[in-house]
Amino acid sequence: MPTKPLGPLKILYIEDDPNSRRLVERLLLAEGYEVYVAEDGLAGLELARQVRPALVLTDVNMGTMTGHEVATRLKEMPETRHAPVIAMTANTMQTDREIALVAGCDGYITKPIDVDALPRLIEKFLAGAREHVDDTVKVQRLEEYRNTLVTRLEQTVADLQRANAELRRADKMKKDFVVISSHELRTPITLIYGYIKLLKMETDQLALGEHLDAIVDKILTATQRMNDAVDSIINVSLIDSEQLELALKPVDLQGVVQSIVQQLQPVALQRNQKLYMSDMSTLPPVPGDANYLRRALSNVVDNAIKYTPDGGEIGIEALNEFETIHITISDTGIGIDRAHQERIFEKFYVLEDTAYHSTNRTGFMGGGMGLGLAVTQGIIRAHGGRIWVDSEGKDVSRLPGSRFHIMLPMTAPVAREATIAEK
Ligand code: ADP
């Protein structure tokens, strides 16, 4: 038996009916007990583990777990096995009482609760009183209890399976919706983009004036942004469903990085930033998909530009280290707190206030959808590589900077290809 505690005795009351809960709680508080209440069996068991009550009162007919099942568990747990458990129910049949006792209850009281008798009854149980089942019916009641348990288990498993099927259906619908709607958007956007480029060529030749040129440029930038957003959504859904298919070929990494620098140099210049790359001419070709690798790397460089104030530096370097290509993208920007360094690779994870979202995409701290790094990580992993970030922390005035590392293996990601092909 546990030793008697010095403070008030703790009583746990498990009951799903709020009125009974309030009534009994008030009654027991008035008697000087420390009272804990739980709304259902699972919460009751958790609370019992924490507070180790001297006695447990439990309702029998509760939704997720019956009072009998709660009693069976309480008698199994070392923290609670010595505490008497009293079942409270409106069922007055003798067999109900016997089943409660074989399930692990030590006492059985009927509802409605007799408020005058309850305190004395509790005292009796705390002093060691226990009710017993007659040996002649014990085996039979145990069998009945076991059958009830198995039937409820079967019912619960069936309910869970149904709920699981429903969740899968809803999840598939959500994924299908994203894929279908982005594909539906992609075609018209590609058309608009093509025609605007044509229009720009025409207006450039016609010299219609700065005002019209500026309008066409703005439409072009906005369409490009829309195109990038749809691309990211499609890529993320392909990565999520492991359907990203790589067209593997030996990739000239220097060429890929050069094209990114060329594309982003005008933006960096506008921000008075220095964007440079190391000499990569001696690197061996990497097995990979050049288009996806370009997308993966340019997302990181894009961020480096975004999260570095005007006048900063962004450097891209690559080394051949033991059968692996180690690429680093360093910036002199605001940095990233350690607590977020893993989570920024999750989809839709953004640290900046969404109020920044209306700003220019390449402007300082101009927020995006939080898909860029998720796409990058998905592509790098599909290549059998990994990506992580190193930064002292975030400090907008001290500017500690961030360094993204990407490891790409020199061997083709064969295993992944096989799993993709099997699907
Ligand atoms: P977004 O498209 O919104 O930029 P990302 O997935 O590319 O989303 O990045 C997620 C978050 O990681 C960003 O909101 C930003 O807070 C942080 N982040 C990414 N790169 C950097 C960086 N170079 N410096 C500081 N913070 C960064």
Side-chain angles (χ1 to χ4, degrees), residues 267 271 305-308 310 359-367:
V267 184
R271 305 267 321 275
I305 292 176
K306 261 195 322 196
Y307 297 102
T308 300
D310 295 7
T359 64
N360 185 334
R361 193 174 67 98
T362 47
F364 181 44
M365 287 166 71

Side-chain angles (χ1 to χ4, degrees), residues 238-310:
L238 287 177
I239 290 163
D240 265 359
S241 53
E242 297 192 13
Q243 283 175 347
L244 194 75
E245 286 189 38
L246 302 178
L248 293 176
K249 282 199 185 105
V251 176
D252 161 30
L253 207 60
Q254 169 165 261
V256 170
V257 178
Q258 263 168 353
S259 75
I260 295 171
V261 172
Q262 236 165 39
Q263 194 198 339
L264 295 174
Q265 198 63 269
V267 184
L269 274 175
Q270 247 176 29
R271 305 267 321 275
N272 199 19
Q273 290 170 335
K274 185 176 164 204
L275 172 63
Y276 64 89
M277 63 181 280
S278 65
D279 174 18
M280 300 181 188
S281 58
T282 56
L283 288 184
V286 195
D289 183 312
N291 283 330
Y292 275 122
L293 283 178
R294 186 174 302 112
R295 160 65 47 221
L297 293 175
S298 75
N299 284 350
V300 183
V301 182
D302 223 34
N303 280 342
I305 292 176
K306 261 195 322 196
Y307 297 102
T308 300
D310 295 7

Side-chain angles (χ1 to χ4, degrees), residues 303 306-307 331 335-336 344 349-352 368 370 372-373 402 404:
N303 280 342
K306 261 195 322 196
Y307 297 102
D331 63 55
I336 304 164
I344 53 169
Y349 196 81
V350 285
L351 297 175
E352 271 52 58
L373 290 178
S402 307
F404 282 79

Side-chain angles (χ1 to χ4, degrees), residues 30-44:
E31 291 290 320
Y33 295 112
E34 196 172 314
V35 187
Y36 294 86
V37 289
E39 291 175 23
D40 61 47
L42 279 178

Side-chain angles (χ1 to χ4, degrees), residues 26 123 287 298 313 341 363:
R26 232 178 291 151
E123 274 171 29
S298 75
E313 278 187 24
Q341 287 178 9

